[in-house]
Amino acid sequence: MAQTTNQGPRRIGQWLYLKPECIDEYKKCHAAVWPKVLEQIKDSNVRDYSIFLSLTPRPTLFASFKYVGNSFDEDMKRMAGNEKVQAWWAMTDGMQESPVEGAVGSKDGPGWWGQTEEVFYVE
């Protein structure tokens, strides 16, 4: 989730691949996200967070959220430092395939989710 700091509220889109054999498991764990993970997401100034699944041409996840804080990098570092979030990522990373060259997981490396550029928005 690499972004610049001190940019204020903005919308972020990300994507990655879901392993076909993990679709049901991924849906099941996201139907019951751990409370401490949800708490950390909120405490990290993330709002309106959704994850969408497309099955074709291969299982792909698209995440969309609003970042409402003032220091994205610092908030993401706090999230990455949370032990419950680390355990959640360890579980879900195993179900996913990153499109990011050199990615090693959600916690370390150049980022796990592919980043997108917003090219249109209407409220």
Side-chain angles (χ1 to χ4, degrees):
M1 290 190 177
Q3 297 285 330
T4 58
T5 59
N6 300 323
Q7 297 234 340
R10 64 186 183 272
R11 290 174 305 283
I12 296 174
Q14 303 174 314
W15 68 281
L16 55 67
Y17 299 116
L18 183 62
K19 294 177 182 176
E21 67 273 16
C22 296
I23 292 171
D24 290 338
E25 182 182 2
Y26 192 84
K27 287 180 178 182
K28 184 178 178 180
C29 73
H30 280 82
V33 178
W34 304 340
K36 292 290 184 184
V37 171
L38 294 173
E39 181 180 308
Q40 184 62 60
I41 289 170
K42 185 175 182 180
D43 288 349
S44 295
N45 294 304
V46 171
R47 303 291 186 274
D48 297 328
Y49 188 16
S50 297
I51 300 175
F52 300 88
L53 171 64
S54 174
L55 296 176
T56 58
R58 70 183 277 193
T60 302
L61 298 170
F62 174 76
S64 173
F65 61 90
K66 287 182 186 174
Y67 174 72
V68 298
N70 293 312
S71 185
F72 185 86
D73 291 342
E74 289 302 314
D75 283 333
M76 295 306 104
K77 283 180 188 175
R78 280 190 307 106
M79 186 178 307
N82 182 305
E83 290 182 12
K84 283 291 187 187
V85 171
Q86 290 174 19
W88 178 264
W89 286 346
M91 175 183 65
T92 58
D93 284 0
M95 299 179 214
Q96 305 162 345
E97 295 175 343
S98 176
V100 178
E101 188 173 325
V104 295
S106 292
K107 183 178 181 292
D108 299 307
W112 188 244
W113 288 71
Q115 301 302 307
T116 64
E117 174 187 355
E118 183 177 71
V119 295
F120 177 77
Y121 173 77
V122 65
E123 191 169 299

